[in-house]
């Protein structure tokens, strides 16, 4: 089966998030043997309990060291006071550790001390969360999830892991957690090729293959785009596996402007019992140049005139004869509306026009016309007036250049004014590959504007990141009155950086333009029920059998809300 795509704008598949803030610790340790599974009592065991347990053999000391099969699983230096640490569950699946996490409780801490919580996996890989403060009774109770320290990895390492707690006043303790592989029966998903350029994607397809279905069963297929939106593929085609339970699909662009980055493949059987995921990568094609013209008929237009025919007239020139072009309108708040595809005449010229809803923000708007055959483009700008209750954006980032160590200490501030009270913002820090960088607030930071109409949100990285170009993505609301701003941030090397610093990210690829189906940020990440289902959700975003077709970009002033999607997970 073959399908040609031009723009990804359809039903959004959401993954619910849970907010949490936790702390940090580094622990030198190695794993126990793979079959050394702790009993329930070991889960809340302290280091001292482990030391005396018959399940472990004590080796030579440099501090207190618990040994199993000559492999260190816990270490506490001399002079550290042991404290009891417990978890709300002794075992969890990979996906749930990422999305929901575990609740950590520790007692016996010094009231007011700074407490750091971390996790060390079987391989020795360690992650840590942001610091906490012990309460007046010397206790912490917090939920930690790997989404907030490794946002794009929905498959944290399976095996026996250790949750560690350490305070600034010398107390330390730990508890064991078994991380199991996701139990949801998996489909085998692959693509050929696994990497393709924008230019090649116009000329040849990517063949998607999934196996493991029952014979002749209905297949649900969702395609995740690099801009984090998703579309339901073949919703009206009645996709089915063949008599051998195999499914293949040819995906080919009708435009050279495919989004650059990772495309996520997500499959589910009709009854929901089987799921699987994969991905392929689209790389940048030949250099795109701004060698064409787009000229609005007027430099300024009122909302009243913009919302009735003929709206804003404009002309495009300099295209190839009978070339087609994709038109995108960017509002003063950064929202990108994909207007569709038009065709020039035999001289590469076209006169065209667009209209708006009755309520759109004031400020400067941008029209971009991009050739579907070459990717070369034209840009035109105009101002919209007459909508004082919907001002344009004056949201800014300060400073716009910061040293990596300063970003992990003082951070940067996203600020703005003249914003409707109650507007909820979701903010993330993205690298050149559009991957989220962990913040002390978690994978994303959230803020709600107060009665003064001002936004002030400080972003501090959880650890020192590599120098290079980054983007702060600011989102709020949905549709044409929503915010969707991409604020550039340049991170420089730390003043005292060593000679063996982590390599800087590659040159920044322009962030993908968001589709008209937008994420709807919330004041805080929504809570999930205790996730112990018989058949847990698939690690990849689960396709929906009843996906809603995407409305046109200007069909409504506000699109239906959706839970935030945590980026494109690494599969």
């Amino acid at each position: 089966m073959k399908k040609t795509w031009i723009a990804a704008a359809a039903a959004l598949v959401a993954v619910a998030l849970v907010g949490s803030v936790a702390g940090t610790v580094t622990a030198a340790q190695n794993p126990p043997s793979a079959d050394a599974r702790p009993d329930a009592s070991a889960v809340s065991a302290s280091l001292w309990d482990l030391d005396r347990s018959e399940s472990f053999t004590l080796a030579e000391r440099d501090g207190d060291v618990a040994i199993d099969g000559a492999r260190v699983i816990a270490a506490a230096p001399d002079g550290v006071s042991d404290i009891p640490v417990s978890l709300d569950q002794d075992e969890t699946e990979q996906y749930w550790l990422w999305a929901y996490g575990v609740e950590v409780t520790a007692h016996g801490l010094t009231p007011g001390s700074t407490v750091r919580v971390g996790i060390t996996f079987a391989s020795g890989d360690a992650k840590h969360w942001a610091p906490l403060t012990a309460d007046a009774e010397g206790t912490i109770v917090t939920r930690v999830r790997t989404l907030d320290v490794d946002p794009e990895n929905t498959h944290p390492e399976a095996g026996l892991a250790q949750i560690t707690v350490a305070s600034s006043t010398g107390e330390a303790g730990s508890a064991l957690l078994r991380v199991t592989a996701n139990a949801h029966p998996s489909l085998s998903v692959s693509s050929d090729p696994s990497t393709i350029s924008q230019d090649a994607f116009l000329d040849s397809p990517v063949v998607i293959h999934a196996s493991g279905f029952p014979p002749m069963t209905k297949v649900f297929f969702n395609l995740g785009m690099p801009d984090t939106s998703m579309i339901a593929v073949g919703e009206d085609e009645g996709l089915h596996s063949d008599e051998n339970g195999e499914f293949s699909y040819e995906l080919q662009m009708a435009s050279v402007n495919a989004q650059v980055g990772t495309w996520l493949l997500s499959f589910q059987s009709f009854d929901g019992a089987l799921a699987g995921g994969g991905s392929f990568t689209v790389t940048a094609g030949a250099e795109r140049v701004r060698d064409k013209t787009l000229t609005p008929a007027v430099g300024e237009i009122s909302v009243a005139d913009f919302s009735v025919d003929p709206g804003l007239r404009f002309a495009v020139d300099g295209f190839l004869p009978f070339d087609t072009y994709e038109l995108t309108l960017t509002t003063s708040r950064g929202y990108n509306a994909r207007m569709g595809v038009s065709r020039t005449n035999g001289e590469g010229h076209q006169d065209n026009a667009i209209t708006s809803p009755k309520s759109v923000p004031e400020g400067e708007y941008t029209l971009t016309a991009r050739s579907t055959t070459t990717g070369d483009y034209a840009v035109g700008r105009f101002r919209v007036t007459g909508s004082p209750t919907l001002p344009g954006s004056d949201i800014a980032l300060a400073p716009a250049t910061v040293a990596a160590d300063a970003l992990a200490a003082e951070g940067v501030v996203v600020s703005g004014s003249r914003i409707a009270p109650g507007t909820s913002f979701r903010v993330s820090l993205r690298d050149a590959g559009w991957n989220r960088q962990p913040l002390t607030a978690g994978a994303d930071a959230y803020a709600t504007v107060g009665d003064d109409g001002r936004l002030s949100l400080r972003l501090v990285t959880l650890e020192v990141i590599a120098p290079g170009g980054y983007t702060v993505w600011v989102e709020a609301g949905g549709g044409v009155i929503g915010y969707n701003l991409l604020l550039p941030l340049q991170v420089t090397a730390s003043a005292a950086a060593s000679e063996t610093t982590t390599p800087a990210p590659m040159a920044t690829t322009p962030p993908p333009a968001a589709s008209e189906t937008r994420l709807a940020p919330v004041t805080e990440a929504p809570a999930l029920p205790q996730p112990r289902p018989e058949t847990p959700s698939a690690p990849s975003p689960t396709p929906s059998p009843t996906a809603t077709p995407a409305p046109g970009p200007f069909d409504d002033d506000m699109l239906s809300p959706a839970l935030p999607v945590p980026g494109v997970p690494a599969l």
Side-chain angles (χ1 to χ4, degrees):
M1 184 173 293
K2 182 172 181 178
K3 183 69 175 181
T4 301
W5 295 92
I6 294 177
L12 215 139
V13 175
V15 176
L17 306 182
V18 180
S20 66
V21 177
T24 302
V25 72
T26 43
Q29 52 198 296
N30 291 319
S33 58
D35 58 352
R37 181 187 180 97
D39 58 28
S41 63
V43 174
S44 58
S46 66
L47 297 178
W48 180 246
D49 294 328
L50 294 177
D51 190 355
R52 298 182 298 178
S53 171
E54 293 181 359
S55 299
F56 299 89
T57 302
L58 188 65
E60 62 184 35
R61 288 175 177 265
D62 182 7
D64 292 325
V65 181
I67 299 295
D68 175 44
R71 304 176 75 186
V72 179
I73 68 163
D78 288 326
V80 172
S81 174
D82 178 50
I83 57 171
V85 176
S86 61
L87 309 178
D88 64 341
Q89 53 189 317
D90 63 346
E91 183 175 298
T92 187
E93 292 179 8
Q94 292 170 298
Y95 175 78
W96 289 120
L97 179 59
W98 175 78
Y100 185 73
V102 294
E103 185 177 87
V104 181
T105 302
H107 302 284
L109 298 157
T110 301
S113 62
T114 299
V115 183
R116 317 193 78 173
V117 179
I119 184 170
T120 300
F121 294 99
S123 66
D125 182 33
K127 303 289 183 183
H128 59 272
W129 288 271
L132 297 167
T133 301
D135 65 18
E137 297 179 352
T139 298
I140 63 162
V141 180
T142 185
R143 180 165 294 279
V144 294
R145 56 179 185 167
T146 61
L147 171 64
D148 293 321
V149 292
D150 195 5
E152 311 306 334
N153 179 18
T154 61
H155 292 66
E157 183 182 330
L160 192 62
Q162 186 179 40
I163 300 293
T164 54
V165 177
S167 75
S168 57
T169 50
E171 299 94 4
S174 66
L176 300 178
L177 175 69
R178 181 168 291 277
V179 182
T180 61
N182 296 306
H184 202 295
S186 295
L187 301 168
S188 176
V189 179
S190 61
S191 64
D192 183 23
S194 59
T195 300
I196 192 170
S197 71
Q198 289 177 301
D199 300 335
F201 206 179
L202 177 65
D203 299 325
S204 59
V206 172
V207 180
I208 312 300
H209 184 75
S211 60
F213 290 102
M216 305 303 293
T217 189
K218 189 171 183 180
V219 171
F220 293 108
F221 174 21
N222 277 2
L223 183 65
M225 312 302 291
D227 66 0
T228 75
S229 63
M230 297 195 78
I231 65 172
V233 178
E235 193 69 12
D236 301 320
E237 298 177 37
L239 305 182
H240 285 78
S241 60
D242 63 18
E243 62 274 12
N244 298 314
E246 306 284 324
F247 174 81
S248 293
Y249 196 95
E250 288 189 358
L251 192 68
Q252 184 174 351
M253 293 293 292
S255 165
V256 77
N257 299 315
Q259 291 185 25
V260 173
T262 300
W263 293 46
L264 184 67
L265 309 170
S266 179
F267 285 89
Q268 185 177 346
S269 61
F270 178 72
D271 59 3
L274 299 169
S279 65
F280 66 93
T281 301
V282 176
T283 60
E287 181 182 359
R288 278 39 171 166
V289 295
R290 182 179 170 181
D291 61 353
K292 309 178 190 314
T293 61
L294 188 156
T295 308
V298 295
E300 185 174 289
I301 189 171
S302 69
V303 172
D305 291 337
F306 196 13
S307 61
V308 297
D309 288 334
L312 179 83
R313 296 181 183 275
F314 65 93
V316 295
D317 281 291
F319 286 79
L320 297 172
F322 305 109
D323 196 4
T324 53
Y325 65 89
E326 298 170 313
L327 184 69
T328 302
L329 173 68
T330 303
T331 72
S332 58
R333 294 182 175 181
Y335 169 76
N336 293 288
R338 296 189 177 174
M339 307 301 300
V341 177
S342 294
R343 185 181 297 275
T344 63
N345 61 18
E347 297 178 348
H349 170 90
Q350 188 191 38
D351 294 311
N352 212 332
I354 58 172
T355 57
S356 76
K358 293 181 179 179
S359 297
V360 294
E362 291 185 326
E364 185 175 86
Y365 283 56
T366 301
L367 277 172
T368 303
R370 192 176 292 272
S371 168
T372 63
T373 56
T374 66
D376 298 334
Y377 62 100
V379 174
R381 294 182 172 86
F382 62 97
R383 292 193 64 81
V384 174
T385 61
S387 187
T389 60
L390 293 172
S393 170
D394 60 359
I395 294 175
L397 179 69
T401 300
V402 63
D405 56 350
L407 184 59
E410 296 86 25
V412 294
V413 177
V414 177
S415 60
S417 60
R418 299 190 305 151
I419 303 170
T423 301
S424 296
F425 284 88
R426 176 191 180 207
V427 182
S428 59
L429 177 63
R430 306 274 176 158
D431 66 9
W434 210 238
N435 300 305
R436 281 177 296 184
Q437 305 302 293
L439 305 169
T440 55
D444 302 281
Y446 297 87
T448 300
V449 174
D451 294 337
D452 61 358
R454 293 184 177 276
L455 169 69
S456 182
L457 180 61
R458 185 174 296 275
L459 307 178
V460 180
T461 54
L462 193 56
E463 55 191 24
V464 175
I465 62 176
Y470 294 82
T471 300
V472 174
W473 188 9
V474 182
E475 301 177 275
V480 296
I481 64 173
Y483 291 83
N484 178 47
L485 303 170
L486 304 174
L487 308 178
L489 175 65
Q490 188 66 34
V491 178
T492 60
S494 302
S498 67
E499 295 181 0
T500 57
T501 53
T502 305
M506 297 175 62
T508 303
T509 301
S515 67
E516 58 266 28
T517 303
R518 299 300 312 137
L519 306 177
V522 292
T523 10
E524 59 182 14
L528 286 177
Q530 181 69 16
R532 303 301 299 171
E534 292 297 324
T535 305
S537 301
S540 54
T542 304
S544 169
T546 57
T548 304
F554 284 158
D555 284 353
D556 299 288
D557 290 356
M558 181 73 77
L559 298 180
S560 300
L563 293 175
V565 176
V568 180
L571 297 175

